[in-house]
Amino acid sequence: MALLGFGSENKTTAKKSSDGAYIAPDRTERAQCWEARDSYYSCLDRHDILDSLKEGEKAKNCCPEESKQFERNCASSWVKYFKQRRVADWKKEQTRLKLEKENAVNIADVKDGSVRIVNS
Amino acid sequence: MARAQKVAYQCPSQPIQTRAFSRLSASSRRTALQPATPIRHCQNASSSFASHSQLRPFSETSRNAYKTVQEARSRQRSGPFSWKAAVLFVVTGAAMIVYFQEEKARLERKRIADETKGVGKPKVGGPFNLIDQDGKPFSSEDMKGKYALVYFGFTHCPDICPEELDKMAGMIDIVKKNTGNTLLPVFVTADPARDTPAVVKEYLKEFHPDFIGLTGSYDDIKRMCKVYRVYFSTPPEVKSGQDYLVDHSIYFYLMDPDGDFVEVYGRTHTAEEAAKIMTDHIKDWEKPINQGLLSEARTKAVIPEGDPHDPIVS
């Protein structure tokens, strides 16, 4: 058994498999990580922070406990990934809203016939 | 009269029976060992025969086949378009619509399945030589005989792979319920540096016991990703315990029993939708499908369930 190789801080320990390679987080550990991520996200929402990578200092000061838990329960590559994904998901949602305003229709709805394109 | 002829026509073989019947008393008629239906069908015919037998020995029907005037009027009004005819018409029409729609869907599936066969077509998939989660060799030949659902991922994947693998487990169960043991679920790692057979085995047992988990050398996996047109981004040199993510395509590839590519399912498909399409493809397959338990050997050799947090060290 060895300390989790990824990340520098004192994280939970990663298990080694029978051939010596590190086992990936299992279902329970994933769930713990996602839970920590979600409470971190909701804290960011409360403080109106979108990009916690850009506003790292502010995020750390506003959500010290959530930030600690997040980093403790998830591998650092996951932490970075989730922080980036939050921004990407927000941008995606904005694009969707913008398109919706422009009366764009979902291509899937057109394909299954629930929406019809009418040429004006 | 058209109606009278019709009634007579309904019971062509009846006259002899009914004639004998009409001579019997009502009670003995009931006890007679004759099928009940002809009597009911030809009530009009037999009763009319009783009254007109002297005058019209060859006719079994009277002109007054209706019990009431209203009935006669309504028959007269509706002409040959009875409710029976209407029902028959609607049922036949509906059946034909269903048949043609099904046939259309089947031909569409056949078109998709055949699209990638033959010369000059885009080729997805091909020969490979990898190792499974027990460290045994597993090649593209071992995948033939059943349909195969191939998914590329890596065990240290933060969120998408586990979600998709749970979905895939759902598909496996539905397809299995619908068609039996016809589908081989295959997980191929896109991160050979960290995903050794033992790591893959530990990972997959949380999703579905039928999974075949494939890994191999860096070059073998790179080649595998290439033939399946999967984006491959594992860095060639990684230190033990290094933490990184891998970008990879997140599609389920359906391969037929000949090893030919059929189509892909992605994030937009629910487990039910993808399973439905796969079930239809499998039912379309005309050649025999191997129904054997390919994963039997492995499910027997599964590591005994102990404390999941207990590290397994050799």
Side-chain angles (χ1 to χ4, degrees):
Chain A
M1 217 150 145
L3 278 178
L4 187 71
F6 32 82
S8 46
E9 287 140 61
N10 52 332
K11 288 176 181 272
T12 48
T13 51
K15 296 172 283 285
K16 273 192 175 183
S17 69
S18 53
D19 55 13
Y22 292 103
I23 293 172
D26 64 17
R27 200 178 280 281
T28 326
E29 287 159 346
R30 282 197 301 270
Q32 282 166 353
C33 167
W34 294 348
E35 205 179 299
R37 171 201 64 187
D38 291 343
S39 55
Y40 180 69
Y41 277 2
S42 57
C43 179
L44 294 181
D45 286 343
R46 281 198 299 278
H47 294 92
D48 206 22
I49 301 166
L50 172 69
D51 193 336
S52 49
L53 287 169
K54 265 189 197 157
E55 299 177 87
E57 275 304 303
K58 193 185 169 194
K60 208 151 214 167
N61 291 334
C62 294
C63 312
E65 188 52 34
E66 285 86 349
S67 183
K68 217 169 87 191
Q69 283 298 327
F70 186 27
E71 280 167 26
R72 180 178 295 155
N73 285 301
C74 308
S76 47
S77 63
W78 289 26
V79 170
K80 190 179 161 208
Y81 164 81
F82 284 131
K83 286 177 174 176
Q84 287 170 339
R85 188 165 176 195
R86 179 176 158 85
V87 181
D89 281 350
W90 180 83
K91 281 184 182 158
K92 204 167 140 190
E93 180 61 16
Q94 293 310 304
T95 313
R96 200 187 62 78
L97 290 173
K98 190 172 148 247
L99 287 170
E100 210 165 64
K101 256 187 205 157
E102 292 166 3
N103 293 323
V105 287
N106 188 348
I107 193 76
D109 293 339
V110 177
K111 274 186 187 160
D112 74 14
S114 56
V115 170
R116 239 180 226 181
I117 296 175
V118 183
N119 287 326
S120 53
Chain B
M1 229 176 122
R3 178 63 206 173
Q5 278 164 7
K6 217 180 199 173
V7 173
Y9 185 70
Q10 267 179 0
C11 349
S13 62
Q14 218 40 55
I16 299 155
Q17 269 182 23
T18 45
R19 203 172 297 154
F21 262 42
S22 60
R23 291 199 190 98
L24 295 167
S25 69
S27 60
S28 64
R29 193 187 299 171
R30 238 172 261 126
T31 53
L33 288 169
Q34 289 284 343
T37 29
I39 306 169
R40 213 185 307 130
H41 269 283
C42 303
Q43 235 164 18
N44 288 332
S46 60
S47 63
S48 66
F49 171 76
S51 54
H52 297 278
S53 56
Q54 303 301 316
L55 300 169
R56 305 172 63 217
F58 298 110
S59 173
E60 301 301 324
T61 49
S62 83
R63 279 177 295 168
N64 293 326
Y66 310 109
K67 286 197 185 102
T68 60
V69 177
Q70 282 82 0
E71 198 184 331
R73 275 198 188 132
S74 76
R75 285 285 188 198
Q76 207 65 47
R77 256 204 308 275
S78 59
F81 303 104
S82 66
W83 64 269
K84 276 182 195 159
V87 166
L88 188 69
F89 177 77
V90 170
V91 168
T92 313
M96 283 177 83
I97 288 169
V98 168
Y99 172 75
F100 281 117
Q101 274 178 348
E102 252 169 32
E103 194 62 6
K104 197 178 154 197
R106 192 185 67 78
L107 289 173
E108 175 63 17
R109 285 198 300 275
K110 191 170 159 32
R111 191 187 62 75
I112 288 167
D114 289 348
E115 212 164 44
T116 51
K117 295 202 176 201
V119 186
K121 300 287 162 61
K123 185 84 180 159
V124 179
F128 62 81
N129 279 295
L130 297 171
I131 48 172
D132 72 9
Q133 66 264 53
D134 295 317
K136 291 185 226 140
F138 190 97
S139 76
S140 41
E141 287 305 308
D142 297 313
M143 214 169 75
K144 289 181 185 171
K146 285 175 186 287
Y147 271 86
L149 189 63
V150 184
Y151 183 74
F152 289 79
F154 67 114
T155 64
H156 288 79
C157 177
D159 52 357
I160 294 175
C161 320
E163 278 170 28
E164 293 294 275
L165 287 172
D166 275 332
K167 195 166 97 177
M168 189 165 167
M171 294 181 204
I172 298 164
D173 286 335
I174 301 172
V175 172
K176 216 173 174 177
K177 203 182 85 195
N178 292 344
T179 66
N181 235 333
T182 56
L183 186 70
L184 187 67
V186 180
F187 169 88
V188 184
T189 181
D191 181 16
R194 282 184 297 185
D195 289 345
T196 60
V199 171
V200 172
K201 185 170 184 162
E202 275 296 308
Y203 184 67
L204 289 179
K205 73 175 188 188
E206 280 197 319
F207 292 98
H208 202 284
D210 287 1
F211 264 118
I212 303 276
L214 300 181
T215 183
S217 71
Y218 179 85
D219 289 331
D220 285 343
I221 291 292
K222 195 174 175 183
R223 208 171 300 129
M224 177 73 175
C225 288
K226 198 176 172 190
V227 295
Y228 276 83
R229 308 286 190 262
V230 169
Y231 178 64
F232 177 67
S233 71
T234 296
E237 298 289 331
V238 287
K239 283 176 272 156
S240 171
Q242 193 180 329
D243 179 26
Y244 57 92
L245 296 183
V246 176
D247 284 335
H248 62 92
S249 317
I250 42 169
Y251 283 110
F252 302 102
Y253 293 75
L254 183 66
M255 312 298 287
D256 72 21
D258 289 346
D260 288 314
F261 169 72
V262 182
E263 60 181 329
V264 293
Y265 311 103
R267 295 273 283 165
T268 51
H269 291 85
T270 65
E272 289 74 22
E273 285 163 356
K276 166 85 179 66
I277 309 172
M278 280 189 272
T279 301
D280 290 343
H281 275 299
I282 292 169
K283 284 183 177 164
D284 287 346
W285 188 255
E286 283 160 2
K287 287 179 261 178
I289 299 178
N290 173 10
Q291 296 261 0
L293 293 167
L294 271 185
S295 56
E296 202 174 34
R298 182 175 21 271
T299 42
K300 277 180 192 156
V302 153
I303 301 163
E305 290 292 326
D307 178 9
H309 295 285
D310 205 4
I312 299 149
V313 183
S314 58

